[in-house]
Structures are given as C-alpha cells and as structure tokens.
Amino acid sequence: MNQSYFKNYLDRQKATYDAIPIDRVEQLINLIKKCRDEDRQLFAFGNGGSASNVSHFITDLGKSASDRMETDGSGRRFRCMSLNESVSWITALGNDFAYEDVYMRQLQNYARPGDLVLTLSVSGNSPNVVKAVEWANQHGLTTIALVGGKGGRLAELAHESILIQDTHYGRVEDAQMTICHMLCYGFIDS
C-alpha cells in the first residue's frame, strides 16, 4: 500500500465524522438523560465490531458517566446493560431457539415499558437486532439505532436513528464509537 491509500482513508474518515449530525446526538443525550432521571434501564447490543463498540459504550456510561453524576450532586447513576456480553446465555438462546432471538429474549427478561434500547449496526439489517427492536417497539420501549449509510430496516423501525453517511464497515464503526463517546462525554464533561 502506498501513502495515498492512507491519506484517502483518513480523508474519507474525516468526511464521515464531519457528517455526524450534532443536533441528533444532542437529542440522544436528552433521551439518555431522561432514562436516567426516570430511573429506567438502557439496553444496548450489536454484532461483531458493533458489539465491541456497545461494550465500550456501556463501560463508559455505567462507570465514568455515572461517577461524574455522583460528583456533580445529581446522585443518579446510569442503569445500563450490554446484551452482547453473556456468551453462555447468547449461545443457549441461539441453540435452543434461533440466533435471531438472542437479544429479543434477553429483553423479555429485563425490559419494561419506558426503558431505552440503543443498537449499533452497519447494515441495519441484522435479523437478531431487527427482531429485538421490533419487540421493544411493541412493548413500549424507546428505540435508537446508529446505522451505516444504507440504513436498512433499523433506520425505518427505530424511533430515533442516526444514519452514518458511509457504507465502509471500518469507517462506520469508528463513527459509531465517536458518537458513543459523544453521548458519554456529554455527561462526563458537562
């Protein structure tokens, strides 16, 4: 590979970042704040690189943003959970039912009307994520999706969505993580 490849990659990544709709990110921060203030739970999930981003996001929100809430006097911590963490539960559900049920069936155990769901998907069409968002919508949860440039089914289903203006998996996943950091640091740095 030559240096022009790397420059082109970085230029396209910068363009992807520049296209992040800041006003939409602020709306999501407000939904997460409302979730926390009403003592509701936030559930997050994804597949592959998006699952890793979800794990990182939940760690930042549950630990760092919650620590900040304690020190600023508000006292409320974030009740948040990544549904892609339990390998034994995911594989049991996938084996006994179907892989497309692994998130929906966890929501059946934990979720209550008024809770918040955040999902990340580059394609927006992963059957397990789509099925979980459909279930959440039918059971009174608020749903959010961060999706790649094609939007997929999730862009249509989620109550709120941010469409990342690219279809390259690496660039979209990097932009997803940047948005997740913005969501957390909106609390940590405020």
Side-chain angles (χ1 to χ4, degrees), residues 83 89-90 93 101-110:
L83 299 185
W89 199 356
I90 289 169
L93 292 169
D101 292 345
V102 298
Y103 297 135
M104 181 267 303
R105 288 194 174 271
Q106 288 182 73
L107 287 174
Q108 287 177 326
N109 279 53
Y110 291 119

Side-chain angles (χ1 to χ4, degrees), residues 160-174:
E160 299 289 335
S161 64
I162 293 181
L163 185 73
I164 297 163
Q165 298 297 323
D166 206 316
T167 57
H168 182 278
Y169 274 72
R171 284 191 290 274
V172 171
E173 289 169 353
D174 285 349

Side-chain angles (χ1 to χ4, degrees), residues 20-38 42 57 61 65 69 78 116-118 142 144 146 160-162 178-190:
I20 292 172
I22 303 302
D23 59 328
R24 304 281 307 185
V25 174
E26 189 172 8
Q27 289 173 345
L28 300 187
I29 289 172
N30 290 333
L31 285 173
I32 293 169
K33 181 181 185 304
K34 180 181 178 195
C35 179
R36 183 205 62 200
D37 291 349
E38 293 179 356
L42 184 152
F57 167 70
L61 189 67
M69 296 300 101
F78 292 94
L116 188 61
V117 162
L118 171 68
T142 300
I144 300 169
L146 305 182
E160 299 289 335
S161 64
I162 293 181
T178 297
I179 292 169
C180 286
H181 275 140
M182 292 166 76
L183 296 175
C184 291
Y185 280 89
F187 295 99
I188 296 168
D189 289 342
S190 62

